[in-house]
Amino acid sequence: MQDWSIAVMNLTDRREQRLQSYKKIQSEQEIYECVLAPTLYEFVVWVLQEALQSGTKRLYFLARDGYQMYLAARKLCKQYDLDIECRYLKVSRYAVRVPEYHLLGERCLERICVGGIDVTFEKIMQRAALTDKEAGEIAALAGYTENYRKVINYHEVMQLKDRLKKIPLLFHYIDSHSKEAYGTAIGYLTQEGLLEPVPYALVDSGWIGTIQQSIEHLLRQRQPDRKLEGYYFGLYEIPEGEERENYHSFYFTPWGEIKRKVHFSNSLFEAVFSAPEGMTLSYRAEGEKDKISYVPVTDSRENLNRERINRYICWLEEFLQEKKQSLPQADSGYVEELLSPFMGNPTQFEAEAYGSLLFSDDVREDDNQKVSADFSEQEIKNHHLLNRLLIMTGIRKRVLHESAWIEGSIATCRTLNERGRARNRWHAVFYKYIIYIRKWIKQRQKIKRQKIKRQENDSFEKE
């Protein structure tokens, strides 16, 4: 095996080389090759370095955000003769949450009743895996028959969650569908080696880490002591009750890197670094009793960005062909210098090129829309902090439409001049800083509570 640790390319030279080429970008391909491919490359290099240092022998790249990462890691492992096995695990939040619900009881609503873009009662019932008939019954009991498809904001989602807690029939339906899905889900995970005594870790884009927790819950029904580790591009938070040492992050963590979060779009990241196929919905068993295999059931709808993603994969392979030197030291600071201007302050060309990718932030991936929504000036102004608060509290009677990449929406708004774009970007940045500082404070308080609880437990054990 090649000793990558003593062959580190000069980071300053590598960074300057890419930054200079970035200034000359004139096409979608050049953006990918000069900004996005280097971003993915640095992350994958970091994952491989972490795996080598920790003795991890197998990496599971999670569908679909992990697909291009998987392709890069597999090539780099072969090129540098690294003793790491790379596998692609066909999962999705929906495919592992549904079989998990019956293990959570009432807490399953924490997975189901969450905010997002254009959330409706219908979407919430789809997250719960209810049939249309069952969902109609629950709508009647919850008083949502007339507002079945009405878009509701985060505050209304939380109010709905409280109502749903009082409907036993809902939990009966959820429990039934969940138990039915569990057998094939654990069969697939077992078939793919997740119960084997091999040191392994999950690799994914990240954000809140619940998919790792869901998989762990499923595996613990067979191996109660099973603990999983995950390597992520970025994490805004980790699930309640989880240990932070099992969640590793490259670009930003729940405990800092606020500036990086402000100038980042996780929706754009997911839209770019995806796979061509549709999402995994569930699993089915095939074959005879002694030779049963478990097959992922994917959405009949292919990824709506399929053709473009296939081009990205070709460009990624070309980019990796250039990497002949020894495996370098990963540099998240270099990624920030590339990614922050692109995502946080895009040119009109950049926003039009990548903002047109289609995206859905819901676990069922219905109602796809452009990553950077086509907003009017007024719709952009509605996102200023004061206007947003007035609309969300009902004081101002307007509909607050969300954009997954608000900076892209600002850049492509035809009626804004450069000064207007700069002013609206300032408001977007200000709002994001408020959000992420608030989350940072909550994370600090959470850590403090956990520390106090551990101290109390240690004192109790000593007594």
Side-chain angles (χ1 to χ4, degrees):
M1 183 189 298
Q2 186 170 341
D3 187 0
W4 54 269
S5 63
I6 61 174
V8 177
M9 182 180 179
N10 186 293
L11 295 180
T12 304
D13 292 346
R14 182 156 54 96
R15 179 181 296 176
E16 186 60 29
Q17 178 185 350
R18 281 293 166 187
L19 291 177
Q20 287 301 322
S21 62
Y22 179 51
K23 295 175 183 177
K24 304 173 185 177
I25 285 176
Q26 294 181 350
S27 71
E28 182 181 0
Q29 180 173 352
E30 288 178 306
I31 296 171
Y32 187 92
E33 291 175 345
C34 295
V35 179
L36 299 168
T39 293
L40 181 137
Y41 176 76
E42 295 292 330
F43 171 59
V44 171
V45 166
W46 173 79
V47 169
L48 296 177
Q49 290 169 344
E50 292 289 311
L52 288 169
Q53 290 171 5
S54 65
T56 299
K57 296 298 182 183
R58 182 185 296 167
L59 295 172
Y60 287 99
F61 292 82
L62 306 187
R64 291 175 296 171
D65 297 359
Y67 184 64
Q68 293 177 51
M69 302 168 191
Y70 162 71
L71 296 178
R74 191 173 59 172
K75 183 174 181 62
L76 292 175
C77 285
K78 183 178 180 180
Q79 184 173 340
Y80 301 119
D81 192 26
L82 305 181
D83 186 22
I84 299 173
E85 179 188 7
C86 297
R87 293 190 182 185
Y88 184 56
L89 193 67
K90 291 199 171 184
V91 294
S92 69
R93 288 176 295 170
Y94 183 77
V96 297
R97 283 181 182 178
V98 171
E100 178 200 24
Y101 287 156
H102 77 282
L103 304 174
L104 300 177
E106 188 179 284
R107 289 184 295 121
C108 70
L109 292 182
E110 301 298 327
R111 299 268 200 259
I112 296 166
C113 296
V114 294
I117 297 175
D118 295 339
V119 177
T120 64
F121 182 90
E122 181 181 35
K123 282 187 179 180
I124 289 173
M125 293 298 100
Q126 289 171 346
R127 295 172 185 172
L130 268 62
T131 65
D132 291 341
K133 180 178 179 297
E134 293 166 348
E137 294 176 29
I138 302 304
L141 293 171
Y144 260 83
T145 301
E146 293 183 4
N147 295 320
Y148 192 73
R149 293 187 174 91
K150 178 190 172 186
V151 174
I152 55 179
N153 61 37
Y154 180 79
H155 179 65
E156 291 170 320
V157 172
M158 294 301 103
Q159 289 179 325
L160 174 59
K161 182 168 71 171
D162 291 335
R163 288 195 205 180
L164 295 178
K165 286 179 181 178
K166 301 171 184 177
I167 303 178
L169 183 62
L170 170 66
F171 294 102
H172 168 73
Y173 287 146
I174 291 174
D175 198 61
S176 175
H177 292 300
S178 179
K179 287 178 178 177
E180 184 180 355
Y182 174 79
T184 51
I186 192 63
Y188 173 73
L189 297 175
T190 303
Q191 171 184 284
E192 297 304 306
L194 276 82
L195 291 177
E196 293 176 2
V198 177
Y200 69 80
L202 310 180
V203 184
D204 198 11
S205 52
W207 319 141
I208 58 174
T210 54
I211 197 165
Q212 176 177 328
Q213 187 185 52
S214 294
I215 293 173
E216 187 175 282
H217 283 164
L218 298 178
L219 297 176
R220 282 186 176 180
Q221 301 309 299
R222 297 288 178 86
Q223 290 183 352
D225 296 329
R226 172 63 68 176
K227 292 291 293 183
L228 298 185
E229 285 197 53
Y231 296 116
Y232 301 99
F233 184 83
L235 287 169
Y236 294 111
E237 57 186 88
I238 64 173
E240 188 70 34
E242 295 295 319
E243 298 294 333
R244 59 190 292 181
E245 57 263 26
N246 295 324
Y247 291 78
H248 311 283
S249 184
F250 170 66
Y251 193 58
F252 55 79
T253 69
W255 310 282
E257 297 80 38
I258 293 175
K259 182 180 176 183
R260 290 183 179 182
K261 295 172 188 173
V262 167
H263 300 292
F264 182 76
S265 168
N266 59 299
S267 301
L268 175 58
F269 188 96
E270 290 180 25
V272 172
F273 297 118
S274 189
E277 74 265 11
M279 70 171 283
T280 302
L281 295 173
S282 60
Y283 306 93
R284 70 170 183 268
E286 291 185 350
E288 300 296 327
K289 203 169 189 180
D290 296 334
K291 294 183 179 180
I292 294 177
S293 62
Y294 295 91
V295 180
V297 178
T298 56
D299 195 326
S300 58
R301 301 167 298 176
E302 294 178 336
N303 192 319
L304 295 178
N305 301 311
R306 180 183 179 86
E307 291 184 8
R308 293 176 68 178
I309 288 172
N310 281 330
R311 290 203 298 271
Y312 298 163
I313 291 170
C314 290
W315 298 340
L316 175 63
E317 290 172 348
E318 291 173 7
F319 175 86
L320 293 172
Q321 290 295 335
E322 303 172 7
K323 299 298 173 185
K324 301 298 184 184
Q325 75 278 355
S326 299
L327 194 67
Q329 185 70 33
D331 182 7
S332 65
Y334 163 55
V335 170
E336 182 178 6
E337 291 183 27
L338 291 176
L339 213 53
S340 288
F342 170 63
M343 289 190 170
N345 186 14
T347 64
Q348 184 175 333
F349 172 76
E350 291 169 333
E352 288 175 347
Y354 282 89
S356 59
L357 287 165
L358 297 174
F359 172 79
S360 172
D361 75 332
D362 198 69
V363 294
R364 284 295 303 267
E365 298 199 351
D366 294 317
D367 299 329
N368 285 270
Q369 62 182 41
K370 290 171 62 176
V371 174
S372 60
D374 294 323
F375 277 177
S376 66
E377 275 190 63
Q378 186 57 58
E379 286 174 314
I380 290 171
K381 288 178 181 177
N382 288 345
H383 283 261
H384 297 180
L385 179 61
L386 179 58
N387 292 338
R388 179 185 280 267
L389 291 174
L390 291 173
I391 294 169
M392 292 182 70
T393 54
I395 296 172
R396 183 168 291 171
K397 303 301 180 184
R398 288 178 183 163
V399 177
L400 185 66
H401 296 289
E402 297 287 353
S403 174
W405 186 23
I406 186 65
E407 297 86 350
S409 297
I410 293 169
T412 55
C413 181
R414 301 290 182 180
T415 59
L416 284 174
N417 58 25
E418 194 50 48
R419 185 176 179 182
R421 290 190 178 109
R423 182 175 63 254
N424 282 285
R425 277 197 302 269
W426 183 90
H427 278 281
V429 167
F430 177 70
Y431 174 72
K432 283 187 169 184
Y433 265 111
I434 295 294
I435 292 297
Y436 292 124
I437 289 173
R438 182 170 174 268
K439 287 187 175 182
W440 176 79
I441 292 171
K442 288 178 68 175
Q443 287 295 328
R444 299 292 297 179
Q445 291 172 338
K446 181 178 174 182
I447 292 171
K448 189 175 181 180
R449 288 196 301 270
Q450 289 175 339
K451 185 177 180 181
I452 291 171
K453 188 174 180 179
R454 281 196 297 268
Q455 290 174 342
E456 289 175 347
N457 289 338
D458 290 343
S459 299
F460 179 77
E461 287 175 4
K462 288 179 181 178
E463 291 175 4

